[in-house]
Amino acid sequence: MRHNPYKIVTMFEETIADYTGAPYAVSTDNCTDALLLCCEYLKVTEVTIPCRTYLSVPQSIMHAGGTLKFEDIRWKGIYQLKPYPLYDAAKRLTSGMYLPRTFMCLSFHIKKHLKIGKGGMILTDDRLAAQWFRKGRYEGRSTVPYHEDNIQINGYNAYMCPEQAARGLMLMQNYPDHNEDIPEEPFYRDLREFDLFKNVEIIK
């Protein structure tokens, strides 16, 4: 009997959901794609983010068809992609962290809390959104065999591999209940230093 190796991905998702207090956790290949999927699902238009964050965040917004505004604020742990109920939580992973009625995107990069090396996660309490994310990360496919499937959404190749999930499960076995947010030192560059973002309006 052959077992589906992707069952371990589901186990890892359930573990993260239980740890963070989120009803649903949908894994991705990285936090950037988690943000992209959320922006696509929310059909973002104008999005305001800190001018000092990692550059893949505004790129995800742009890829989803949104436009940018910056605000010059210092943030710690998480921040909101305003005005949407969407949070970049790449620098936070602690028990009970989930904020109800939001989408929170995690990172498992080697420099983050759970050092898988690569991987991301979307936390949500929206069942329909979780279903959409699971298809969206897998080229629009569902869990039925490819030749039996009917593709209804334009998805991405953004799913987590079993090897990453297995490492995540191992690391979670001895993972502490409470963790401080990871500081960024030195702090992120001002995105307006890049030609790509130099003309983005900044909110005073």
Side-chain angles (χ1 to χ4, degrees):
M1 180 179 180
R2 295 184 180 182
H3 293 283
N4 184 347
Y6 283 88
K7 286 182 179 179
I8 201 165
V9 177
T10 301
M11 292 170 62
F12 180 51
E13 291 173 336
E14 291 171 348
T15 299
I16 294 295
D18 181 68
Y19 178 78
T20 61
Y24 305 100
V26 181
S27 61
T28 60
D29 59 342
N30 55 63
C31 185
T32 298
D33 282 338
L35 287 165
L36 174 58
L37 287 167
C38 288
C39 287
E40 290 271 11
Y41 181 76
L42 292 167
K43 296 180 172 60
V44 299
T45 53
E46 185 179 273
V47 185
T48 300
I49 61 171
C51 64
R52 297 178 186 273
T53 186
Y54 190 59
L55 60 87
S56 72
V57 179
Q59 287 175 330
S60 294
I61 294 167
M62 294 165 68
H63 281 305
T67 59
L68 298 166
K69 283 190 176 180
F70 291 150
E71 54 182 348
D72 194 359
I73 60 170
R74 300 284 289 197
W75 57 274
K76 179 184 178 185
I78 68 172
Y79 62 85
Q80 183 181 0
L81 282 69
K82 301 175 182 176
Y84 299 94
L86 173 57
Y87 288 81
D88 177 359
K91 310 286 280 187
R92 177 174 295 176
L93 185 59
T94 192
S95 61
M97 63 175 279
Y98 179 66
L99 302 174
R101 297 178 296 281
T102 69
F103 304 99
M104 301 181 74
C105 296
L106 310 180
S107 173
F108 304 126
H109 186 272
I110 196 68
K111 293 173 65 176
K112 302 304 193 298
H113 284 93
L114 199 69
K115 303 180 187 302
I116 294 175
K118 191 172 175 64
M121 193 79 73
I122 303 169
L123 306 179
T124 183
D125 55 7
D126 188 325
R127 179 180 60 84
L128 294 179
Q131 291 174 352
W132 190 94
F133 294 142
R134 290 193 173 97
K135 288 187 175 183
R137 69 182 176 183
Y138 192 34
E139 297 101 8
R141 295 178 58 185
S142 60
T143 56
V144 302
Y146 177 69
H147 292 286
E148 299 174 16
D149 210 348
N150 179 25
I151 309 304
Q152 298 173 316
I153 67 170
N154 188 23
Y156 296 88
N157 188 310
Y159 57 86
M160 177 178 283
C161 293
E163 298 90 337
Q164 296 166 332
R167 176 165 172 77
L169 275 174
M170 288 189 295
L171 293 173
M172 285 300 295
Q173 292 304 304
N174 297 303
Y175 194 71
D177 285 339
H178 302 289
N179 303 279
E180 295 295 323
D181 294 334
I182 296 177
E184 185 71 22
E185 297 294 342
F187 205 61
Y188 292 101
R189 289 176 62 182
D190 190 325
L191 290 166
R192 293 170 295 170
E193 296 176 9
F194 298 104
D195 283 349
L196 180 61
F197 308 116
K198 66 182 180 181
N199 295 320
V200 174
E201 178 185 351
I202 187 126
I203 299 174
K204 301 298 184 181

